[in-house]
Amino acid sequence: MTTLFDRMPVTVSDELRLKVLRSNILPFYQERLGLVEIKSPYELIKLCRRLEATKESVKSYKPPVKGNLFLEPDLECGTGQSETVKVREITVNNAGPQLCFRCNKPGHYARVCRVRTRLRCFTCGMDNVTKITCPKCNVRNSGNSSGSQP
C-alpha cells in the first residue's frame, strides 16, 4: 500500500497513510497493535513483521517428547496438565535403597523431600546443626566450643 500511496498524484501525509494502513490490516494485527503508539508507516510494517514471525513461531511449536530415560523425573517436561510425578527408588552400589538426607526415608532425594524443618550436618549427619555450625566437622567451631585457642 505504501507503493500505491507513492504513485498518487497528490502527496499523502504519513498521518493519513498510517490511519489507512491501520484500518486495513488484518484483525490479528489490529488487536495486538491497538494500544501501541506508532509514528510512521515503516514502524507499523516493522511491528507487523515481528508479530508475524512470532505467530509463525507459536504455530510451529511442538512440545518436547517425554521419554523414560531421564535421571530426574521431576525435571522432565510436562504436558501442561497437572500430573503426579512418580519418583524412582534410588540405589547405590546394590547396598539397598538410598536414604533421603533430610528424613532418612528411601526412594527420593533431599531436594524433592517435603520435610523442610530438620537440620542436619551434610558431612557427618549430626542432627540439629549445619555443616558450618557442626562441632565435629568445623575445626573453628570445635576449637571455640571447648574453650581452647589454636
Side-chain angles (χ1 to χ4, degrees), residues 20-146:
V20 171
L21 286 171
R22 284 189 86 148
S23 64
N24 287 303
I25 60 176
L26 291 172
F28 170 80
Y29 301 109
Q30 287 183 24
E31 185 178 319
R32 282 149 182 86
L33 296 173
L35 298 176
V36 178
E37 185 180 336
I38 301 171
K39 298 177 182 168
S40 73
Y42 296 105
E43 188 178 352
L44 176 66
I45 292 168
K46 180 179 143 186
L47 290 172
C48 286
R49 285 183 179 154
R50 284 173 64 193
L51 282 172
E52 191 168 339
T54 303
K55 183 179 177 183
E56 285 300 314
S57 175
V58 168
K59 191 169 121 182
S60 65
Y61 174 77
K62 293 179 183 162
V65 178
K66 289 180 77 171
N68 58 0
L69 298 177
F70 288 94
L71 296 176
E72 297 293 336
D74 57 321
L75 299 177
E76 191 171 322
C77 287
T79 60
Q81 301 169 353
S82 62
E83 300 178 344
T84 57
V85 177
K86 294 179 183 176
V87 180
R88 288 179 272 166
E89 191 167 299
I90 305 156
T91 57
V92 178
N93 297 334
N94 297 327
Q98 177 69 35
L99 298 178
C100 169
F101 186 73
R102 290 192 182 167
C103 67
N104 274 339
K105 293 183 181 174
H108 62 276
Y109 287 117
R111 69 176 160 262
V112 295
C113 183
R114 296 193 179 185
V115 176
R116 298 280 181 204
T117 57
R118 185 174 180 195
L119 289 177
R120 200 161 188 209
C121 176
F122 185 73
T123 305
C124 69
M126 180 184 273
D127 286 332
N128 299 321
V129 292
T130 61
K131 183 176 179 179
I132 295 171
T133 60
C134 180
K136 290 181 185 176
C137 301
N138 194 335
V139 178
R140 282 184 264 164
N141 281 346
S142 62
N144 291 340
S145 64
S146 64

